[in-house]
Amino acid sequence: MIAVIFIAGCLVLGVGYIFYGRCLSRWLGVEPGRPTPAHDVNDGVDFVPAHAPVLFGHHFSSIAGAGPIVGPVLAAIWFGWQPTVLWILFGAVLIGGVHDYASLIASIRHGGGSIGEICKKHLNPLTYRAFLIFIFFTLVYVLIVFLDLTAATFAPANLTDAVACDRGGAVATSSLIYVLLAVGFGLVTRSGKVNFKTATCVFVPLIFAAMWVGVKMPMSPRFVPAVFYDHPKYTWAVILLAYCFAASVTPVWVLLQPRDYLSSFLLYGCLLGGVAGIVVLALTGQADIQQSAWRMTAEVGGKSVFIFPTLFITVACGAVSGFHSVVASGTSARQLNREEDAKPIAYGGMLVEGVLALVAVSAVMLLPAGDPLLKAHPVKVFAAGMGRFLSVFHITPPAGELFGLLAVSTFLLTTLDTATRLARFILAELLNLKKPAWRYVTTALTIALPAVIVFIRMPNRAVPGTFLPAWQAIWPAFGTTNQLLAALALLVVFIWLGKEKRPRWFAGLPMVFMFATTLVGLAQLVKTNMLNEGGQALIGLICLALLILSLLVVGNTIVRWRKTCG
């Protein structure tokens, strides 16, 4: 049964790409042969034409991260696999893919400008600046979260756990080798002495070999100097901040393009291994659905939550994510070689992410009721699933689990450096700093806030005497913020399409749905945290500010739209 569901889901995504993707290309006015900003500007730093496979690797690696794994796993555990699968399929095809594809096309039509710049052209300056500030702080929040999570994968909380330390060390060693290989790949292909295909055939096997080296020579966190709070995680945070600075200011062909391209093969390995493992296990009778199909409510954080809007916000990147519009309009649009490449990169990338989300849900479907993994971290659930899926290739479950962890950690790091560059773009735009040399200043300003907050610890009310990273205090607002950004991006696209006299219902309907889910979600968070006893005022205030901001943007848009129509 699980194989039938999974294969049917992949077919839905494939059919959506072929037929609905063709309609989207027509409605968006995609013209093969039209020059792209990567060629018109080509400054050798941010605007650099990239081969379609390289750009797909960058785009996919940047938007994937841990999002299409964590969200679908949590949603499947809370509300059952059936509504989660349905939302992944229809959300990716009709909303997420539309959002990503339209954002990319809108950006190249505006000279590779960000979604904020497009807002500036079609809405008033106040809305534009508010939108930029919203995007910037969303990206900074992504940096704070992913900085802490990446550092935690290198150095686990319990340094007395030898197995966890070895796994963290393996991830750290492999990640270091990935970076060095990426720089080598970029230099080799840029020199023209080795063609792209030959370099790929050499470097991709080296990427997988790096995993083996990492396992054999783990950079044990127990031997990393504990400069802050007597724990090496914070030392790694400093190293990662330095890496983010370097990755943001160097030309994209040095690190960003090659690293994301090579890293994407790890995720392809996860996808192929997961797909094959699910099918083989099901056909040989070794796997069957253990989880319930549907639940209307779930217990989350000791509180009962309803399926709407929680499910649609929780799945996030598995169906739609506002972060994708920032990636599409921030880096991908500036590297797009041909306009016809936009469909496979943006729309296709979102649908492949949907396949990854289905693999993550399948890992939950196989767990029996009461399994301890149902209360574990979602990444651990996914890794355990990969261990089981890869066992059909006679790979031991511990080795398969480690492969899953290594792949996820690699994409955490990829999202981290991409978010830094994107935030640098937004800040330069906000402050009107256009000279290339300003990128050093804007990058430093971008990482300043994460550099402070990542070292702040707050008392853990659930476990007295222990501490939590500061970002966890406002985590409940993150999913809603991300989805609200998607609604705002669709709003900007909707206005642009109207001025271009093109069909826009395909962006308008998803926009209305995303606003409905996020506004209800924000209202619930405000009520829970500001009006109920035991709530957190900080979360309530953040959500209230976001609610007011979104209503102002929507109200301003309606007023301007009526004036234009009149």
Side-chain angles (χ1 to χ4, degrees):
M1 182 63 178
I2 189 171
V4 174
I5 294 170
F6 185 82
I7 293 172
C10 291
L11 287 175
V12 169
L13 295 173
V15 170
Y17 177 81
I18 295 171
F19 294 102
Y20 199 55
R22 186 182 301 161
C23 294
L24 290 173
S25 297
R26 185 173 67 254
W27 295 331
L28 291 169
V30 174
E31 296 181 17
R34 178 188 290 196
T36 62
H39 292 282
D40 292 338
V41 180
N42 199 353
D43 60 4
V45 179
D46 298 317
F47 289 82
V48 180
H51 293 289
V54 174
L55 186 53
F56 182 88
H58 156 69
H59 185 83
F60 187 44
S61 300
S62 300
I63 67 173
I69 293 170
V70 174
V73 166
L74 289 175
I77 291 174
W78 294 345
F79 300 107
W81 60 266
Q82 194 172 87
T84 306
V85 167
L86 289 174
W87 171 232
I88 289 170
L89 296 179
F90 293 103
V93 173
L94 301 176
I95 301 181
V98 173
H99 166 271
D100 295 11
Y101 193 11
S103 297
L104 180 55
I105 295 299
S107 178
I108 63 174
R109 290 285 191 274
H110 292 79
S114 71
I115 197 73
E117 288 181 286
I118 303 170
C119 175
K120 178 182 181 180
K121 182 174 181 179
H122 300 292
L123 295 173
N124 64 31
L126 179 61
T127 304
Y128 156 68
R129 292 199 170 276
F131 195 32
L132 281 186
I133 293 171
F134 179 83
I135 295 173
F136 177 74
F137 281 106
T138 299
L139 289 171
V140 168
Y141 186 76
V142 169
L143 281 173
I144 294 168
V145 174
F146 279 65
L147 182 66
D148 189 87
L149 291 177
T150 307
T153 62
F154 294 168
N158 184 8
L159 296 179
T160 61
D161 187 337
V163 175
C165 284
D166 286 342
R167 285 179 177 173
V171 171
T173 300
S174 300
S175 298
L176 177 61
I177 297 174
Y178 292 157
V179 172
L180 296 176
L181 287 174
V183 173
F185 183 87
L187 294 174
V188 165
T189 54
R190 183 77 171 182
S191 69
K193 296 180 180 179
V194 180
N195 66 47
F196 180 76
K197 290 184 179 179
T198 301
T200 299
C201 292
V202 172
F203 279 84
V204 170
L206 291 177
I207 286 293
F208 286 92
M211 296 175 58
W212 179 83
V213 174
V215 172
K216 295 298 181 182
M217 295 187 294
M219 194 181 298
S220 176
R222 288 170 291 186
F223 299 105
V224 177
V227 180
F228 303 95
Y229 299 126
D230 295 325
H231 199 286
K233 183 184 83 169
Y234 298 98
T235 305
W236 276 116
V238 174
I239 296 172
L240 288 168
L241 284 167
Y243 165 79
C244 287
F245 183 90
S248 175
V249 300
T250 53
V252 290
W253 61 266
V254 174
L255 181 59
L256 188 72
Q257 286 180 350
R259 188 190 186 285
D260 292 354
Y261 171 66
L262 293 176
S263 297
S264 65
F265 284 90
L266 285 175
L267 195 49
Y268 301 153
C270 273
L271 286 172
L272 292 175
V275 170
I278 291 168
V279 173
V280 173
L281 286 173
L283 294 179
T284 56
Q286 301 178 59
D288 199 5
I289 299 175
Q290 302 289 323
Q291 285 292 303
S292 61
W294 193 292
R295 284 185 291 272
M296 296 301 293
T297 60
E299 288 293 322
V300 180
K303 300 175 182 177
S304 179
V305 296
F306 189 61
I307 193 171
F308 180 86
T310 309
L311 170 74
F312 305 97
I313 293 172
T314 302
V315 172
C317 300
V320 58
S321 168
F323 178 66
H324 295 188
S325 66
V326 186
V327 174
S329 65
T331 56
S332 299
R334 304 180 185 199
Q335 302 172 59
L336 192 69
N337 185 37
R338 304 179 308 166
E339 193 162 299
E340 57 266 37
D341 292 340
K343 177 186 170 184
I345 289 168
Y347 194 58
M350 180 64 242
L351 299 189
V352 173
E353 194 169 21
V355 176
L356 178 61
L358 291 178
V359 173
V361 173
S362 298
V364 177
M365 294 166 71
L366 297 178
L367 297 176
D371 193 298
L373 279 174
L374 294 173
K375 296 183 178 180
H377 192 283
V379 172
K380 184 173 178 58
V381 176
F382 175 78
M386 286 305 303
R388 187 169 180 182
F389 299 149
L390 294 177
S391 65
V392 302
F393 300 104
H394 303 290
I395 298 174
T396 62
E401 183 174 344
L402 181 59
F403 172 71
L405 289 172
L406 286 170
V408 172
S409 66
T410 300
F411 286 94
L412 285 172
L413 192 58
T414 301
T415 304
L416 189 65
D417 56 42
T418 300
T420 306
R421 185 177 290 261
L422 292 170
R424 186 252 288 180
F425 291 157
I426 296 297
L427 187 59
E429 185 180 336
L430 186 62
L431 301 177
N432 197 29
L433 303 174
K434 297 181 179 180
K435 292 184 179 180
W438 280 109
R439 69 181 185 272
Y440 299 99
V441 176
T442 51
T443 299
L445 292 174
T446 294
I447 64 176
L449 189 58
V452 173
I453 295 181
V454 77
F455 295 105
I456 296 176
R457 301 188 303 172
M458 300 181 67
N460 185 359
R461 295 179 181 178
V463 185
T466 62
F467 296 89
L468 292 173
W471 62 266
Q472 287 190 11
I474 54 174
W475 176 255
F478 176 67
T480 309
T481 303
N482 184 44
Q483 303 306 76
L484 177 58
L485 180 56
L488 292 171
L490 284 168
L491 174 62
V492 172
V493 168
F494 180 78
I495 296 298
W496 164 67
L497 288 170
K499 292 192 175 183
E500 292 290 311
K501 306 299 181 183
R502 291 196 166 276
R504 54 180 176 175
W505 62 268
F506 64 92
L509 292 179
M511 174 193 71
V512 171
F513 180 79
M514 294 310 300
F515 268 121
T517 56
T518 53
L519 293 180
V520 171
L522 285 173
Q524 288 179 346
L525 286 172
V526 170
K527 178 178 180 295
T528 300
N529 290 283
M530 296 190 71
L531 302 179
N532 292 347
E533 219 178 295
Q536 297 203 25
L538 179 60
I539 298 175
L541 288 173
I542 290 173
C543 292
L544 181 60
L546 291 173
L547 183 61
I548 294 172
L549 173 65
S550 59
L551 291 175
L552 284 173
V553 171
V554 173
N556 173 70
T557 304
I558 292 173
V559 170
R560 290 181 63 85
W561 189 13
R562 290 183 63 182
K563 286 182 179 179
T564 302
C565 294

